[in-house]
Amino acid sequence: MANQEDFFKKVVSHAKEYGFIFPSSEIYDGLAAVYDYGQLGTELKNNIKQYWWRAMVQYHENIVGIDSAIFMHPKIWKASGHVDAFNDPLIDNKDSKKRYRADVLIEDHIAKIEDKINKECAKAAKRFGDAFNREQFVTTNARVLEHQKQIDEIREKYAECMNANDLAGLKQLILDLGIVDPISGTRNWTDVRQFNLMFATKMGSVIDDSDTLYLRPETAQGIFVNFLNVQKSGRMKIPFGIAQIGKAFRNEIVARQFIFRMREFEQMEMQFFVRPGTELEWFKHWKEERLRWHLALGIPAEKYRYHDHEKLAHYANAATDIEFEFPFGFKELEGIHSRTDFDLSRHSEFSGKKLQYFDSELNESYIPYVIETSIGVDRTFLAIFSHALKDEVLPDGSTRTVLSLPAVLAPYKAAILPLVKKDGLPEKAREIMDSLKYDYMLQYDEKDAIGRRYRRQDAIGTPYCITVDNDTLNDNSVTVRDRDTMQQERIPIENLSLFLHQHIQPIKVD
Ligand code: GAP
């Protein structure tokens, strides 16, 4: 774990050093859980969004994209349930004056017990060597079983309290477990209370309750309230989808793990409207389709897993998360939910407008059911960036830091490097740059020895370095170096565009 912690620190510092991500308002000592994307981070982020948009909107005739406003009518958040139920249970420590999420304190306590189980397993694995069978060990070892029993009991009590909205019970559980504040070390806790995660603001000049607006905590509601507009103006036939990429805001109390949990973040969401009764087939379809999208980036399949929800929200009849193995463990990257007709029904009820679809094949009107796919741009960035970052020892014993980003997402597709800054090589390099720059993001670099320039490009993830040398002036060819294999090949300048085109594609997944 210590290694993973060090690695995660490296991810954060590499992102800053090379212009991917900066702490927001840094010269004013930063603003907690808010980050700015720098010059390279913006390119990578835009490429992620484009990759998603193409896969969802461009490649599907029956999915269209919108861009709804962040400010929305306040009644929308009543209808969606966010005003009443988008809460976290909070507790303060009276000595440290720090605020915590009660559920996170309990989860952290459970994680400590899980650590004990892992330590028992590690000890046993050492003792038994190759003969060690973890499955068998955890189901028979008395100490492990005792720890597991504790975990199960805590989870059960916790679920009971959450389901019954029993905040006093939650506090009692924290006291019973002897959970102390990590800062003050005391158990001097306040009562637990619910805290709404939406940021509120005021619109207009009159300050009264009626004009309280919320910064949207998800982009999905902008899609639901435009369902009829899009369906009618686009003459959309069910099944069809509406996609959107945009900012969302949540007043996260425990905002940590860099860009994993932020207060201002971006979502890529798609609501797919289907005939009632067909939703579970479509749920299965999107569950598989979304994983294929991830795999097409070339990241190994074992870095992803599904986490099917056993406990469903009252409006959902199926839900799963696609989890990714971040440097701090498997965590949610994307959610896929079968949301029934909950949202459209609620908006019909609250707005007084019929949000129905006339199905000419069935000759009847109904409120469509919805499958939602919802993924964070920033979490996707973190998953891809942290997986790509590596320190490598080369055959000659030297080391390099390389960011093996999927070529389709890399900020620069190629670097154009004249071998030396004389003999007409910079001019030739500029000529090549000018012929390719309208199709590809390129970086020109003539400073320092070629080896150092290669390393700089490795560190920012540029898949190809195109070197212009003296032979180029005679044979009109250049050397193209592959970032990952470091192999070099000679390519005629006239073939460069086709070469880049062929090598900068997402991987096809069958
Ligand atoms: N409309 C459904 C919805 O918003 P969610 O599970 O709350 O569902 C969807 O959020 C995705 O948005 C998550 O899987 C995650 O990738 C991203 N996300 C949620 N909260 C986030 C935060 N505070 N910071 C960064 N990304 C977040």
Side-chain angles (χ1 to χ4, degrees):
M1 195 57 195
N3 268 346
Q4 283 306 83
E5 270 170 33
D6 289 347
F7 173 67
F8 192 42
K9 281 188 194 144
K10 169 146 182 147
V11 168
V12 178
S13 66
H14 193 89
K16 181 167 182 229
E17 186 181 347
Y18 288 93
F20 285 90
I21 299 173
F22 307 126
S24 163
S25 323
E26 197 185 5
I27 58 169
Y28 290 95
D29 295 333
L31 184 64
V34 186
Y35 291 90
D36 294 339
Y37 284 82
Q39 63 281 17
L40 293 191
T42 305
E43 294 296 336
L44 175 53
K45 195 179 182 211
N46 283 343
N47 292 342
I48 291 171
K49 291 194 271 184
Q50 196 189 44
Y51 176 69
W52 183 87
W53 193 264
R54 278 202 182 150
M56 302 301 270
V57 179
Q58 187 176 332
Y59 302 166
H60 288 97
E61 275 175 40
N62 60 347
I63 301 181
V64 292
I66 64 164
D67 183 13
S68 69
I70 287 172
F71 289 137
M72 297 168 79
H73 196 288
K75 261 194 188 172
I76 287 173
W77 305 111
K78 261 292 201 201
S80 67
H82 284 84
V83 170
D84 295 321
F86 195 51
N87 298 323
D88 276 343
L90 292 192
I91 189 164
D92 293 357
N93 183 273
K94 292 182 198 162
D95 299 320
S96 71
K97 311 263 182 286
K98 287 274 174 204
R99 180 163 289 175
Y100 299 91
R101 260 172 64 178
D103 55 328
V104 171
L105 285 179
I106 294 167
E107 278 301 333
D108 286 351
H109 184 81
I110 290 174
K112 282 190 194 143
I113 307 176
E114 281 169 345
D115 255 7
K116 288 185 190 165
I117 296 181
N118 288 336
K119 279 196 186 122
E120 292 289 346
C121 288
K123 265 199 297 189
K126 222 172 172 180
R127 207 167 52 236
F128 296 120
D130 285 348
F132 178 67
N133 177 335
R134 188 183 165 108
E135 182 72 21
Q136 195 186 5
F137 182 74
V138 296
T139 47
T140 52
N141 178 274
R143 267 193 301 266
V144 171
L145 287 174
E146 182 51 37
H147 291 319
Q148 192 54 52
K149 185 162 160 254
Q150 267 180 303
I151 293 176
D152 295 343
E153 282 171 5
I154 297 171
R155 283 203 196 285
E156 196 177 320
K157 276 192 203 144
Y158 168 68
E160 266 170 33
C161 294
M162 290 302 275
N163 289 341
N165 199 19
D166 176 5
L167 301 182
L170 218 49
K171 175 174 179 184
Q172 195 54 49
L173 183 56
I174 289 173
L175 293 176
D176 291 347
L177 294 174
I179 294 176
V180 296
D181 175 5
I183 293 171
S184 65
T186 71
R187 295 172 196 178
N188 197 3
W189 297 109
T190 61
D191 288 342
V192 177
R193 65 207 182 291
Q194 291 290 14
F195 176 88
N196 194 284
L197 294 184
M198 285 194 295
F199 284 102
T201 186
K202 296 278 178 190
M203 181 179 248
S205 52
V206 188
I207 305 287
D208 70 20
D209 252 6
S210 61
D211 50 18
T212 293
L213 293 190
Y214 297 101
L215 297 188
R216 64 180 180 201
E218 61 172 16
T219 61
Q221 299 304 323
I223 295 179
F224 289 123
V225 298
N226 278 297
F227 163 74
L228 269 192
N229 282 336
V230 174
Q231 192 272 316
K232 287 195 185 318
S233 61
R235 293 179 294 118
M236 307 301 293
K237 282 210 161 17
I238 271 180
F240 74 89
I242 306 178
Q244 161 150 253
I245 298 178
K247 289 261 178 165
F249 304 83
R250 294 183 190 178
N251 198 359
E252 300 279 5
I253 290 308
V254 185
R256 58 181 180 184
Q257 289 157 335
F258 193 34
I259 55 170
F260 181 81
R261 197 177 297 287
M262 301 158 89
R263 298 205 163 100
E264 175 182 341
F265 58 101
E266 238 174 320
Q267 289 184 315
M268 306 188 278
E269 299 200 294
M270 194 274 298
Q271 312 295 323
F272 199 71
F273 301 91
V274 303
R275 209 178 256 175
T278 63
E279 71 277 9
L280 292 181
E281 271 164 60
W282 282 110
F283 172 75
K284 183 170 175 285
H285 168 86
W286 282 110
K287 185 176 160 179
E288 289 166 6
E289 196 60 23
R290 291 303 304 145
L291 186 59
R292 280 157 56 86
W293 179 87
H294 290 281
L295 297 180
L297 288 171
I299 296 175
E302 52 278 15
K303 297 289 287 184
Y304 298 89
R305 71 179 187 201
Y306 288 121
H307 169 224
D308 293 328
H309 292 205
E310 281 140 32
K311 273 204 168 357
L312 295 171
H314 61 280
Y315 52 78
N317 62 4
T320 197
D321 294 336
I322 295 179
E323 294 187 339
F324 182 80
E325 193 179 13
F326 288 95
F328 37 83
F330 271 100
K331 293 271 174 277
E332 175 186 340
L333 173 58
E334 170 155 14
I336 298 139
H337 304 130
S338 174
R339 299 181 65 109
T340 66
D341 60 354
F342 174 78
D343 302 87
L344 291 181
S345 299
R346 294 277 291 185
H347 286 306
S348 291
E349 188 188 319
F350 278 70
S351 68
K353 308 277 178 333
K354 264 192 185 172
L355 300 181
Q356 292 197 339
Y357 172 78
F358 177 71
D359 192 322
S360 52
E361 280 174 35
L362 299 180
N363 200 25
E364 67 178 60
S365 292
Y366 52 77
I367 298 180
Y369 272 42
V370 172
I371 307 300
E372 167 182 79
T373 73
S374 175
I375 177 168
V377 178
D378 314 272
R379 272 189 204 179
T380 310
F381 187 114
L382 183 58
I384 291 166
F385 190 88
S386 58
H387 176 71
L389 187 63
K390 296 182 201 83
D391 279 329
E392 281 183 358
V393 181
L394 303 178
D396 67 1
S398 63
T399 56
R400 69 162 182 164
T401 298
V402 58
L403 193 61
S404 291
L405 293 171
V408 67
L409 301 182
Y412 293 114
K413 303 306 179 207
I416 312 284
L417 315 172
L419 189 60
V420 288
K421 229 182 338 176
K422 56 182 185 183
D423 302 336
L425 301 191
E427 291 75 10
K428 190 70 186 168
R430 287 275 180 207
E431 212 180 273
I432 297 173
M433 175 104 181
D434 284 345
S435 71
L436 294 173
K437 72 180 183 192
Y438 297 103
D439 297 320
Y440 302 103
M441 275 294 289
L442 303 173
Q443 192 173 56
Y444 178 86
D445 189 5
E446 59 180 23
K447 200 167 173 294
D448 297 325
I450 193 73
R452 288 187 68 178
R453 281 182 274 165
Y454 285 158
R455 291 288 174 274
R456 273 205 291 270
Q457 296 301 328
D458 289 345
I460 61 172
T462 309
Y464 298 103
C465 284
I466 298 173
T467 306
V468 175
D469 55 26
N470 285 343
D471 289 341
T472 306
L473 303 180
N474 304 320
D475 65 4
N476 259 325
S477 292
V478 287
T479 301
V480 177
R481 171 187 178 272
D482 181 294
R483 175 197 63 202
D484 299 331
T485 63
M486 292 188 294
Q487 297 294 319
Q488 306 196 0
E489 61 179 308
R490 202 77 189 158
I491 294 188
I493 293 171
E494 61 183 9
N495 293 352
L496 274 177
S497 183
L498 183 64
F499 174 90
L500 289 177
H501 176 75
Q502 285 170 340
H503 287 79
I504 297 164
Q505 299 288 341
I507 294 162
K508 293 261 183 302
V509 178
D510 298 324

